[in-house]
Amino acid sequence: MIVMKFGGTSTQDAAAIANVVKIVKSRLSMRPMVVVSAIAQATNVLERAGKLASENKSDSALNILQQLSDRHVGIINNMIEDSQRRDVLINIIEISFNELRDLVKGVSILRELTPRTLDSFYCYGELLSSRIVAAALQEANIDSWWIDTKDFMITDENFTRAMPMIEYVEDRLKAIVKPLFENNIVPVTQGFIGVTTAGRRTTMGRESSDYSASVVGCALNADDIQIWTDVDGVLTADPTVVPEPKKIKLLSFEEAFDLSYFGAKVLHPNTMLPAIEKNIPIHIYNSQKPTLSGTLVAKQTDAKDTIPKSVAYKRNVLILNIVPKKRYGQYIFWEHVNNVLTKHDVASHMTATSEYNYSVVLDAKDNISAIVHDLNTIGTVSVIEGKGIVCLVGSNLRQSPGLLDKIFHSIIDVGVEMITFGPSKSNISFIVEDNDVLDVVRRIHNNFFSVVKDDDIFEILEHHHTPE
Ligand code: ASP
Ligand code: MG
């Protein structure tokens, strides 16, 4: 079987959903299970409604919810002709938005939006889009069955960033889909959302529907995990930044992980984790151009491969440099620092250490003042703001002779503040001024990817519009 995941732009309106139906139909012989995101922007609207309610702006919250409801109803009226099927869906929409209005009321009384409550808002986006897609398949005479993730996607209780408990997921999901596949029925379910063992809805982090698809694929030993999105695949750089990026045909799991972790938006980084474990290939396809070959993420077989594949970046980070006040043993000092980061629930994007110095790179939006406050008890902390990370990704880069020279030669006039090269075999990352990030990305891209020779790996994009 295969898993087919469709993102928000692939379900944004009736025409997009009709296209999804067409794509699923063309792959019925591969026995698909369909995973869908909320329709475009729905998750943002739900989040906004929750926040507005907590700020005592219930009217605005109800207003944007009404618009979201109208959008769903519009899609249904546009594409579901069978009146009984349509009535059922409209009824579900009505019930769901009544529940959302109750949530708004509750939150505005409490003036507090906890992660748990936010998840109660979020879940409606995927619950509704998946209902509509399941019904749209039926309209096209494809037998489909809507499955609520409540029945199988068991997660821990870390609301808004829950992790699935694969062993439970596997048993439950297998039991649910077995009779469906035996009868050639296409299961349709939600990305992004899960449920605790006590039955509370959870979500697994923004943009995590890709991850859901991978968890489903892993649980069912899929032959392929297909991520259907709105771009041609993974590119050699952000197409809004560089002129003429190339499409990458083939990436290893590690390369895809590093790229998505360092800012490429095509895939959620966690997507690779279950797939690596079971060695299931991931394809990224453009749902607007379903005949294109997309990008394949798979196990790296050719270990000699040292081709740089892509340059990614992350903006708005800062460096915390910590010097211990007392000369603790090195390990104790490191442990102190990491305990503070763990307490604040932040992860360092890059770390550099020397005997009695410890530097970590954090997002500027992390709770920096509280972190610095806690670190002050053990060390003297300096905060170096306004930085960005640039990261070149490619398997075995570490073994590539002359690589560092080639990278830094092209940015000789740019101040580089911190480098990590080594911990991951497939990336080199360094820190520059945030204002220089885009320029550095362009220069590195020009240096490494303006001419690409390897047709097995890269493909020239058609109709790319060069940025200004
Ligand atoms: N709908 C969710 C979000 O917008 C999950 C996803 O699209 O992957 O974050
Ligand atoms: Mg996405």
Side-chain angles (χ1 to χ4, degrees):
M1 59 84 58
I2 62 169
V3 179
M4 304 178 79
K5 178 255 163 174
F6 293 92
T9 42
S10 306
T11 55
Q12 63 187 346
D13 52 29
I17 295 179
N19 186 45
V20 166
V21 170
K22 225 164 87 189
I23 294 169
V24 172
K25 197 168 197 169
S26 71
R27 278 152 170 92
L28 281 181
S29 64
M30 298 164 98
R31 301 205 300 159
M33 167 149 178
V34 175
V35 175
V36 286
S37 295
I39 64 174
Q41 293 304 323
T43 311
N44 289 339
V45 172
L46 294 166
E47 183 178 301
R48 185 99 198 94
K51 292 211 168 121
L52 286 168
S54 72
E55 294 159 4
N56 202 24
K57 296 176 186 149
S58 305
D59 287 350
S60 315
L62 294 175
N63 208 349
I64 59 173
L65 284 177
Q66 187 56 47
Q67 290 167 17
L68 187 62
S69 169
D70 294 346
R71 264 183 77 203
H72 284 89
V73 170
I75 293 175
I76 293 164
N77 285 337
N78 247 311
M79 70 180 317
I80 307 292
E81 276 171 20
D82 179 294
S83 65
Q84 211 184 336
R85 201 173 278 136
R86 198 171 54 216
D87 291 348
V88 170
L89 281 179
I90 299 285
N91 193 247
I92 291 168
I93 302 282
E94 264 166 27
I95 293 169
S96 301
F97 279 89
N98 280 337
E99 289 169 358
L100 277 165
R101 283 181 205 107
D102 285 345
L103 273 173
V104 166
K105 213 181 287 167
V107 169
S108 69
I109 291 169
L110 292 172
R111 302 274 179 91
E112 178 185 42
L113 183 67
T114 61
R116 183 163 130 168
T117 310
L118 184 55
D119 278 350
S120 307
F121 276 90
Y122 276 149
C123 67
Y124 287 96
E126 272 70 10
L127 287 169
L128 297 180
S129 62
S130 58
R131 289 271 193 186
I132 297 175
V133 169
L137 288 167
Q138 285 161 10
E139 284 271 306
N141 293 318
I142 300 167
D143 256 343
S144 73
W145 191 263
W146 181 81
I147 304 174
D148 191 333
T149 37
K150 177 164 105 305
D151 296 330
F152 72 89
M153 192 58 91
I154 310 296
T155 71
D156 60 24
E157 306 212 334
N158 287 314
F159 294 95
T160 69
R161 50 186 177 81
M163 291 296 273
M165 305 189 199
I166 306 264
E167 58 290 4
Y168 295 116
V169 174
E170 186 164 335
D171 289 347
R172 295 189 186 206
L173 185 57
K174 275 185 177 153
I176 297 171
V177 298
K178 191 166 177 275
L180 300 178
F181 281 129
E182 278 167 5
N183 290 295
N184 290 322
I185 298 170
V186 178
V188 180
T189 196
Q190 307 85 50
F192 183 45
I193 64 178
V195 70
T196 67
T197 45
R200 299 285 316 205
R201 299 272 190 199
T202 55
T203 61
M204 302 192 270
R206 293 301 308 269
E207 304 294 328
S208 63
S209 291
D210 304 334
Y211 179 38
S212 306
S214 183
V215 170
V216 166
C218 177
L220 299 179
N221 286 312
D223 300 307
D224 194 15
I225 297 161
Q226 303 185 346
I227 307 293
W228 289 85
T229 178
D230 54 3
V231 291
D232 288 359
V234 183
L235 307 182
T236 49
D238 181 343
T240 64
V241 174
V242 306
E244 303 195 350
K246 319 291 183 286
K247 190 193 83 180
I248 311 163
K249 289 192 203 168
L250 183 64
L251 280 172
S252 71
F253 288 124
E254 290 75 16
E255 288 169 335
F257 182 83
D258 282 352
L259 269 179
S260 51
Y261 185 80
F262 281 104
K265 301 216 170 49
V266 194
L267 276 182
H268 189 279
N270 286 355
T271 315
M272 269 53 75
L273 303 178
I276 290 177
E277 213 169 287
K278 294 223 170 154
N279 191 16
I280 302 173
I282 303 169
H283 274 99
I284 299 149
Y285 290 125
N286 188 341
S287 43
Q288 286 311 310
K289 304 180 211 162
T291 54
L292 296 188
S293 61
T295 294
L296 168 62
V297 180
K299 194 168 160 180
Q300 186 81 46
T301 44
D302 182 5
K304 296 188 300 302
D305 182 8
T306 56
I307 305 169
K309 298 276 177 68
S310 185
V311 52
Y313 64 91
K314 214 177 208 136
R315 298 195 61 176
N316 293 319
V317 301
L318 50 78
I319 306 173
L320 291 189
N321 195 309
I322 311 122
V323 183
K325 284 182 179 156
K326 278 195 232 145
R327 294 251 150 172
Y328 308 95
Q330 201 182 45
Y331 300 116
I332 300 174
F333 171 56
W334 289 359
E335 190 184 333
H336 276 315
V337 173
N338 282 303
N339 281 343
V340 170
L341 297 182
T342 307
K343 176 183 155 197
H344 290 279
D345 208 11
V346 299
S348 166
H349 296 307
M350 283 168 64
T351 304
T353 58
S354 63
E355 184 73 5
Y356 278 105
N357 273 291
Y358 200 104
S359 296
V360 294
V361 176
L362 305 180
D363 270 346
K365 58 180 187 320
D366 290 334
N367 191 0
I368 300 299
S369 41
I371 295 170
V372 171
H373 177 80
D374 282 354
L375 287 171
N376 268 330
T377 59
I378 49 166
T380 310
V381 187
S382 41
V383 184
I384 309 158
E385 293 180 303
K387 304 295 169 190
I389 305 176
V390 177
C391 170
L392 184 69
V393 171
S395 293
N396 296 334
L397 278 188
R398 204 160 58 188
Q399 278 137 37
S400 177
L403 177 84
L404 291 183
D405 201 32
K406 186 165 179 189
I407 294 176
F408 292 113
H409 195 74
S410 63
I411 53 167
I412 207 134
D413 54 331
V414 175
V416 173
E417 213 134 328
M418 187 166 142
I419 303 174
T420 63
F421 185 38
S424 157
K425 273 194 290 194
S426 53
N427 89 65
I428 170 166
S429 322
F430 52 92
I431 301 282
V432 296
E433 289 294 319
D434 189 57
N435 284 334
D436 289 335
V437 166
L438 300 184
D439 182 41
V440 168
V441 167
R442 270 180 219 117
R443 287 205 230 170
I444 299 224
H445 189 267
N446 186 43
N447 194 355
F448 283 91
F449 304 104
S450 57
V451 185
V452 285
K453 288 180 214 94
D454 202 325
D455 297 346
D456 294 338
I457 308 271
F458 300 104
E459 192 176 293
I460 308 293
L461 285 178
E462 288 163 34
H463 315 300
H464 177 67
H465 298 287
T466 308
E468 308 275 295

